[in-house]
Amino acid sequence: MRVIIEKNYDDMSLWAASYIRDKINNAKKGGPFVLGLPTGSSPIGTYRCLIEMYRRGTLSFKNVVTFNMDEYVGLSESHKESYHTFMRENFFDHVDILKENIHMLDGECRDPELECRDYEEKIKSYGGIDLFLGGIGADGHIAFNEPYSSLSSRTRVKDLTMDTKIMNSRFFDGDISKVPSRALTVGVGTIMDSREVMILANGHSKARALRHAIEDSISQKWPASALQEHKRAIFVVDESAAGELSLDTVRYFL
């Protein structure tokens, strides 16, 4: 495990984007670089940095294949709060990624279980995820793998906790009743199969979850703690998110 502690959100976003850029640029020629992507507030800064790198000509996404983590059940791709819309507005529409290389779960699919199985097979068809970028919830969830999710889980339908709905209600006019109650999400096991996993965490609200993920025992109560057993896991955090880590832990990683 690596923990990168940067002074603030902008610095951690630039570090993460620079790492992703170098991985893409150094990927083996002839094969795609497979990138797992999240939504939410944490990755927006990283996406902005990646877009700027593309505009400056130091990065291209033509040889990148993406798989997003999740999508709400029942929202159309065109819904303003769907993750399809989020990704178009915050990333895909601003870089040269090929449309056919973008993979996202369909929240309006007729057979959610089949959709989830097919998603796992698509990932396998590309040889797996090279780097999965993600965030961490205040309760330790990654993607929509809520507390007490199986740490070997695969892509599936998941009921959302009240805490998650309250947190996400800010995107739905502050109205919890408008937040979908279920989502399609990759599993913890799906994420763990990736060759590398990078988790972003910023702000004091993530400090407790980060402490449990890094310092405490592996537990289904804190799904992100499963990454302690990943061979190449990186947490990229700002000083506020690192606020509950022990002094010895902070000194070690600095």
Side-chain angles (χ1 to χ4, degrees):
M1 177 190 291
R2 297 175 65 189
V3 181
I4 307 298
I5 303 172
E6 295 290 337
K7 185 174 183 61
N8 53 46
Y9 178 72
D10 289 342
D11 288 349
M12 60 168 273
S13 297
L14 179 59
W15 194 98
S18 299
Y19 188 88
I20 294 168
R21 175 200 60 202
D22 293 346
K23 285 292 179 178
I24 293 172
N25 288 341
N26 293 330
K28 293 181 180 179
K29 294 181 179 179
F33 185 83
V34 185
L35 184 62
L37 296 175
T39 55
S41 58
S42 295
I44 288 178
T46 300
Y47 289 151
R48 288 173 179 165
C49 291
L50 290 171
I51 292 167
E52 183 61 26
M53 292 170 184
Y54 161 71
R55 289 174 175 168
R56 291 181 179 179
T58 62
L59 178 61
S60 171
F61 293 88
K62 287 185 177 178
N63 199 40
V64 174
V65 171
T66 63
F67 285 88
N68 261 78
M69 281 187 158
D70 41 32
E71 180 57 285
Y72 288 113
V73 170
L75 294 192
S76 67
E77 292 184 11
S78 60
H79 190 285
K80 67 183 182 71
E81 296 302 340
S82 76
Y83 289 160
H84 285 75
T85 297
F86 177 97
M87 291 304 302
R88 288 194 300 269
E89 293 181 348
N90 289 286
F91 189 51
F92 293 145
D93 285 353
H94 308 284
V95 296
D96 61 343
I97 190 167
L98 303 178
K99 186 176 180 179
E100 60 267 28
N101 285 346
I102 297 171
H103 299 88
M104 299 189 70
L105 289 156
D106 180 4
E108 285 194 308
C109 61
R110 292 185 177 182
D111 188 338
E113 291 186 3
L114 178 61
E115 173 74 4
C116 293
R117 289 197 300 270
D118 286 348
Y119 206 64
E120 288 279 340
E121 291 303 315
K122 285 179 185 177
I123 292 173
K124 290 180 183 178
S125 73
Y126 283 98
I129 305 289
D130 291 307
L131 172 62
F132 221 133
L133 179 67
I136 183 172
D139 59 2
H141 73 254
I142 47 177
F144 272 129
N145 295 287
E146 306 281 30
Y148 300 105
S149 293
S150 167
L151 301 186
S152 62
S153 56
R154 314 305 304 187
T155 303
R156 68 207 188 284
V157 183
K158 197 76 175 70
D159 292 330
L160 304 185
T161 65
M162 182 56 68
D163 283 347
T164 295
K165 293 184 68 174
I166 291 171
M167 183 69 68
N168 289 358
S169 66
R170 67 190 189 276
F171 303 116
F172 292 84
D173 305 318
D175 187 347
I176 297 175
S177 67
K178 294 181 180 179
V179 183
S181 296
R182 299 194 304 161
L184 304 177
T185 181
V186 296
V188 179
T190 312
I191 297 169
M192 291 289 288
D193 281 349
S194 306
R195 279 174 275 282
E196 289 189 83
V197 181
M198 181 190 292
I199 298 296
L200 307 174
N202 63 286
H204 182 70
S205 65
K206 304 298 178 70
R208 182 170 178 242
L210 192 68
R211 171 172 59 82
H212 282 285
I214 292 173
E215 293 185 332
D216 291 346
S217 59
I218 297 171
S219 168
Q220 288 179 310
K221 184 177 180 180
W222 301 93
S225 66
L227 292 169
Q228 293 179 28
E229 292 197 335
H230 196 282
K231 292 181 179 180
R232 294 185 65 84
I234 308 173
F235 288 83
V236 185
V237 309
D238 65 7
E239 290 181 353
S240 294
E244 290 197 19
L245 297 178
S246 70
L247 183 59
D248 286 344
T249 297
V250 171
R251 283 175 173 169
Y252 175 84
F253 284 111
L254 288 176

